[in-house]
Amino acid sequence: MADSKLLPSPGGDPVAVETLLQDVFGIVVDEAIRKGTSASEKVCDWKEPEELKQLLDLELQSQGESQEQILERCRAVIRYSVKTGHPRFFNQLFSGLDPHSLAGRIITESLNTSPYTYEIAPVFVLMEEEVLKKLRALVGWSSGDGVFCPGGSISNMYAINLARYQRYPDCKQRGLRALPPLALFTSKECHYSINKGAAFLGLGTDSVRVVKADERGKMIPEDLERQISLAEAEGAVPFLVSATSGTTVLGAFDPLDAIADVCQRHGLWLHVDAAWGGSVLLSQTHRHLLDGIQRADSVAWNPHKLLAAGLQCSALLLQDTSNLLKRCHGFQANYLFQQDKFYDVALDTGDKVVQCGRRVDCLKLWLMWKAQGGQGLEQRIDQAFALARYLVEEIKKREGFELVMEPEFVNVCFWFVPPSLRGKQASPHYSQRLSQVAPVLKERMVKEGSMMIGYQPHGTHGNFFRMVVANPTLTCADIDFLLNELERLGQDL
């Protein structure tokens, strides 16, 4: 018979628990927040994988450790992590640290609930609906539906699944047997999650028809028409078009009104992947970039990107009012969604999603919005555009910097041309040698910890830097530092 004697629980002493958490919060405030957002500190303390494994002592043991050791573990985790709130972190489409959003995340983690039923998450069920309602209103819809998803990729996959179900509801039970060969359409600049979604949902990547984009990365509506006709001629059934508002590299916005016209003529679901560019809807000055978005059937929007709401905060918004989300995904588990509860069971929204357990992602955005107000968030967007323009003008002034193109968003793409290549554009192998510059500079900046900025090839272009102006605390001084640092790191190339 097993020994029934209970082991002592560290969580049984409330004083010890409180002391531990106060100490951890102190470390977080000092190391992750104060130092992690200071321009005088490193963006990262780079270590090679084997050395980092040894420093972190990752192996899990049978015996527990002292509180002092645990606190040192916390310090080490922060010390060797990349500081994405740092003003010199330009590497991703998210950056910065909003204190109100962080407060919301701390509360969310502390309460540790899942918003599938009103009975266990009453505050967050109501809050999520209010936040989604606000986002829908910015799109231009007075009604609709929506859900927070674990990332924009999943939002895009939801849209594909919903469009398929709306046209072929039998597929929920009969699967792929209920479907003819299907075709969905997106531009060559789309996010890779569209192809992943087609594969994940059993459609296969061959079902994704790639529409041409112009030199600025925008989908060409005339080629969309051509691709639809071609798919039909090959025996496929078109069902969805995925447009993009804010492409990952160039920051391009597809012409939504013209694409919506095509969708309307052919009876196709229009999804807009505005994961990156959706927050521009808050700006009266710049929201024209998304003209026509109100004609979409679904929209993906990630406030954790340009609004700095913190990972993860990704909304899928629907114009649908027929409960399509629940009809497509619901299975009415009777241990969760009992119909004879003592409150309105329409508040139990968990059957609308594929997940059961789900993070609360609305509080961080709600609290930040309460603190900043819509006007404050609008200023944040406008400031990002202004700083991107400042960077463009500074690039034009400096020898050794060359724009890939004039940006219309906050993605600023450019080459740093080192001294040895200046004035040699006509020489053999110039493009090949220029393409080697960005990887070298990236290694140098990361190993020094001075900053992080992404690079990539694109189309016929060799590697170039993609500067993302998203951190709400950025200043002109940070932009100047970026350019000066590239000059310093590349002066010997």
Side-chain angles (χ1 to χ4, degrees):
M1 184 174 178
D3 187 354
S4 61
K5 183 178 179 181
L6 294 176
L7 293 171
S9 169
D13 181 354
V15 175
V17 169
E18 185 174 331
T19 299
L20 169 65
L21 293 178
Q22 285 179 340
D23 289 343
V24 171
F25 287 149
I27 292 170
V28 169
V29 169
D30 187 48
E31 300 290 336
I33 299 174
R34 185 178 63 81
K35 292 181 182 178
T37 60
S38 171
S40 64
E41 300 284 340
K42 288 185 175 183
V43 176
C44 61
D45 186 355
W46 175 260
K47 303 294 179 186
E48 295 295 334
E50 289 305 314
E51 181 186 3
L52 186 57
K53 287 179 184 179
Q54 295 300 316
L55 288 168
L56 294 175
D57 186 18
L58 291 173
E59 185 179 354
L60 298 173
Q61 306 286 354
S62 59
Q63 295 296 315
E65 297 181 338
S66 68
Q67 181 163 316
E68 289 73 21
Q69 288 174 299
I70 294 301
L71 294 176
E72 186 50 43
R73 301 286 188 204
C74 294
R75 291 188 186 93
V77 166
I78 297 172
R79 181 181 307 126
Y80 299 116
S81 291
V82 175
K83 311 306 187 294
T84 64
H86 196 285
R88 309 285 163 75
F89 176 82
F90 313 118
N91 209 68
Q92 311 300 139
L93 298 182
F94 66 88
S95 63
L97 193 153
D98 182 276
H100 299 99
S101 169
L102 180 59
R105 283 182 274 164
I106 291 170
I107 294 170
T108 294
E109 294 300 317
S110 300
L111 292 174
N112 191 40
T113 193
S114 177
Y116 40 48
T117 63
Y118 183 79
E119 65 183 285
I120 70 159
V123 172
F124 300 128
V125 165
L126 298 179
M127 183 183 292
E128 180 170 276
E129 182 48 47
E130 187 60 32
V131 173
L132 291 170
K133 178 182 176 183
K134 185 66 174 181
L135 297 180
R136 287 195 302 267
L138 286 165
V139 170
W141 301 334
S142 59
S143 59
D145 204 350
V147 67
F148 279 96
C149 296
S153 293
I154 303 301
S155 296
N156 289 336
M157 293 180 194
Y158 265 81
I160 297 171
N161 198 43
L162 289 164
R164 179 175 67 174
Y165 174 83
Q166 185 194 52
R167 180 164 292 211
Y168 297 103
D170 284 354
C171 72
K172 181 175 180 180
Q173 180 176 349
R174 298 183 60 228
L176 299 181
R177 294 175 300 162
L179 302 174
L182 296 179
L184 64 95
F185 305 84
T186 191
S187 89
K188 69 183 186 70
E189 300 292 328
C190 76
H191 191 261
Y192 65 84
S193 60
I194 303 300
N195 280 283
K196 280 195 171 188
F200 183 75
L201 293 168
L203 296 170
T205 56
D206 284 350
S207 69
V208 180
R209 304 300 179 105
V210 179
V211 181
K212 291 179 181 177
D214 64 19
E215 68 281 356
R216 297 194 58 81
K218 299 172 181 287
M219 183 189 291
I220 300 173
E222 294 78 11
D223 193 60
L224 173 60
E225 281 275 14
R226 190 180 72 83
Q227 291 293 338
I228 291 171
S229 298
L230 183 60
E232 290 174 334
E234 294 174 357
V237 179
F239 77 106
L240 172 140
V241 174
S242 179
T244 310
S245 289
T247 58
T248 305
V249 177
L250 301 180
F253 287 77
D254 286 342
L256 299 182
D257 261 325
I259 293 169
D261 288 341
V262 176
C263 291
Q264 188 172 344
R265 282 195 293 273
H266 293 274
L268 305 182
W269 181 290
L270 174 56
H271 172 64
V272 177
D273 176 5
W276 176 217
S279 296
V280 179
L281 289 168
L282 284 152
S283 168
Q284 293 302 313
T285 304
H286 301 287
R287 63 172 289 134
H288 64 87
L289 292 169
L290 295 100
D291 280 352
I293 195 171
Q294 75 281 358
R295 300 175 64 186
D297 295 285
S298 56
V299 172
W301 178 353
N302 288 7
H304 72 236
K305 291 182 175 173
L306 193 52
L307 286 182
L311 288 163
Q312 60 198 21
C313 190
S314 304
L316 173 71
L317 308 173
L318 299 175
Q319 191 169 183
D320 173 78
T321 57
S322 71
N323 216 10
L324 181 65
L325 268 170
K326 189 170 183 179
R327 288 188 289 116
C328 181
H329 301 128
F331 274 93
Q332 298 178 331
N334 60 16
Y335 60 87
L336 273 179
F337 307 116
Q338 304 92 333
Q339 298 302 295
D340 54 359
K341 291 182 178 181
F342 60 91
Y343 58 85
D344 181 1
V345 294
L347 293 166
D348 290 351
T349 56
D351 221 13
K352 297 196 296 186
V353 298
V354 174
Q355 298 164 264
C356 180
R358 185 163 64 95
R359 285 175 57 92
V360 171
D361 288 328
C362 59
L363 176 58
K364 65 194 96 174
L365 178 56
W366 180 86
L367 200 61
M368 183 179 72
W369 206 308
K370 282 288 190 181
Q372 297 287 333
Q375 291 181 346
L377 296 178
E378 180 178 11
Q379 291 171 6
R380 184 172 289 186
I381 302 302
D382 290 344
Q383 173 71 0
F385 274 87
L387 282 172
R389 177 46 49 186
Y390 174 81
L391 173 58
V392 168
E393 297 306 318
E394 289 299 306
I395 284 174
K396 291 177 179 179
K397 295 176 186 176
R398 296 199 185 206
E399 183 183 11
F401 290 88
E402 181 183 344
L403 284 172
V404 175
M405 65 174 60
E406 282 280 346
E408 65 176 346
F409 195 21
V410 296
N411 307 42
V412 180
C413 299
F414 64 93
W415 288 282
F416 173 73
V417 183
S420 66
L421 291 179
R422 291 172 193 171
K424 299 181 179 179
Q425 286 86 342
S427 64
H429 311 300
Y430 172 83
S431 296
Q432 180 182 354
R433 292 177 63 192
L434 182 60
S435 186
Q436 296 168 352
V437 172
V440 172
L441 295 184
K442 179 64 176 282
E443 179 180 1
R444 291 180 178 184
M445 70 178 73
V446 169
K447 288 186 174 179
E448 287 194 21
S450 60
M451 64 180 184
M452 289 185 72
I453 178 172
Y455 73 88
Q456 64 286 301
H458 185 271
T460 60
H461 294 311
N463 288 320
F464 56 84
F465 288 112
R466 180 201 63 174
M467 167 65 180
V468 179
V469 183
N471 188 330
T473 66
L474 282 184
T475 66
C476 292
D478 297 309
I479 303 298
D480 293 339
F481 176 87
L482 161 75
L483 300 176
N484 293 336
E485 183 68 357
L486 286 174
E487 289 178 335
R488 184 185 72 84
L489 292 171
Q491 62 187 345
D492 64 333
L493 295 180

